[in-house]
Amino acid sequence: MLFLNNEEIYDLTGFKLATAQCRWLTENGYPFDTNHSGKPKVLRSYLEQRLCPTAISSKGFEEPNFEALR
């Protein structure tokens, strides 16, 4: 599913009223759009990225050999 469903948005914001949900999302920096009835639409991929960011570690990566450029 591309967007969070109504129950998931309620779980995220703690509000059932669309205007309160939109206010919470704005105050907490979540990008969203609204549908024709004013309900917020939040991308599932954004929420997953925000709540579970990929840990990028330099461990296991070698530094480039800058001497080879000379």
Side-chain angles (χ1 to χ4, degrees), residues 30 44-55:
Y30 283 81
R44 182 174 303 282
S45 61
Y46 176 78
L47 179 68
E48 290 170 349
Q49 176 188 11
R50 180 164 172 163
L51 297 179
C52 303
T54 304

Side-chain angles (χ1 to χ4, degrees), residues 27-45:
E27 289 172 354
N28 289 279
Y30 283 81
F32 67 96
D33 204 348
T34 55
N35 64 14
H36 182 68
S37 63
K39 291 189 178 270
K41 306 299 285 180
V42 178
L43 283 172
R44 182 174 303 282
S45 61

Side-chain angles (χ1 to χ4, degrees), residues 6-70:
N6 291 337
E7 186 176 324
E8 291 169 323
I9 291 178
Y10 169 71
D11 287 343
L12 176 65
T13 66
F15 294 100
K16 287 197 177 207
L17 192 62
T19 54
Q21 291 173 339
C22 291
R23 183 179 65 246
W24 188 94
L25 291 166
T26 299
E27 289 172 354
N28 289 279
Y30 283 81
F32 67 96
D33 204 348
T34 55
N35 64 14
H36 182 68
S37 63
K39 291 189 178 270
K41 306 299 285 180
V42 178
L43 283 172
R44 182 174 303 282
S45 61
Y46 176 78
L47 179 68
E48 290 170 349
Q49 176 188 11
R50 180 164 172 163
L51 297 179
C52 303
T54 304
I56 299 176
S57 171
S58 61
K59 202 175 202 179
F61 294 98
E62 292 183 29
E63 284 286 323
N65 183 358
F66 293 111
E67 291 299 318
L69 297 175
R70 292 182 183 206

